[in-house]
Amino acid sequence: MYSEPTTRSLPVLPEAYLCGNEVNVAFDEPMPYVGVRVCKAAGDESVYEMTYVYEAEVCIDLSAWDKGDYVIYLETETATYKGSFSL
């Protein structure tokens, strides 16, 4: 079965949220490339970096992390997103 490609009028935006000891990042559809980096807010020290290919959802286990403030960066092929959270 053949279907015409669809055109989006809005970009695909990620949704990131804390759920227990995990931070979950979800996109509307699998992304060809997503670079995820988490840094401590004070000093910008990187504590997590990973590249994902064709993922629609990413879960990061935070159970071993120190309490404090963090910044998450999501890099796709077309945009970079930034958010913050506290443990």
Side-chain angles (χ1 to χ4, degrees):
M1 180 191 250
Y2 176 77
S3 63
E4 290 291 323
T6 58
T7 303
R8 288 184 174 267
S9 60
L10 297 173
V12 177
L13 297 177
E15 179 182 16
Y17 53 94
L18 284 172
C19 183
N21 287 330
E22 292 184 338
V23 65
N24 297 313
V25 179
F27 291 89
D28 291 340
E29 60 188 37
M31 300 298 291
Y33 164 87
V34 178
V36 178
R37 184 168 58 102
V38 180
C39 300
K40 289 187 176 181
D44 206 34
E45 174 191 346
S46 182
V47 295
Y48 180 87
E49 276 191 66
M50 184 65 70
T51 300
Y52 298 90
V53 179
Y54 286 100
E55 295 288 338
E57 186 171 345
V58 174
C59 298
I60 303 168
D61 182 9
L62 309 173
S63 60
W65 293 20
D66 295 333
K67 299 240 181 259
D69 298 322
Y70 294 87
V71 179
I72 185 168
Y73 298 92
L74 307 172
E75 181 183 336
T76 68
E77 292 178 320
T78 58
T80 299
Y81 303 92
K82 178 182 174 183
S84 60
F85 63 94
S86 297
L87 293 179

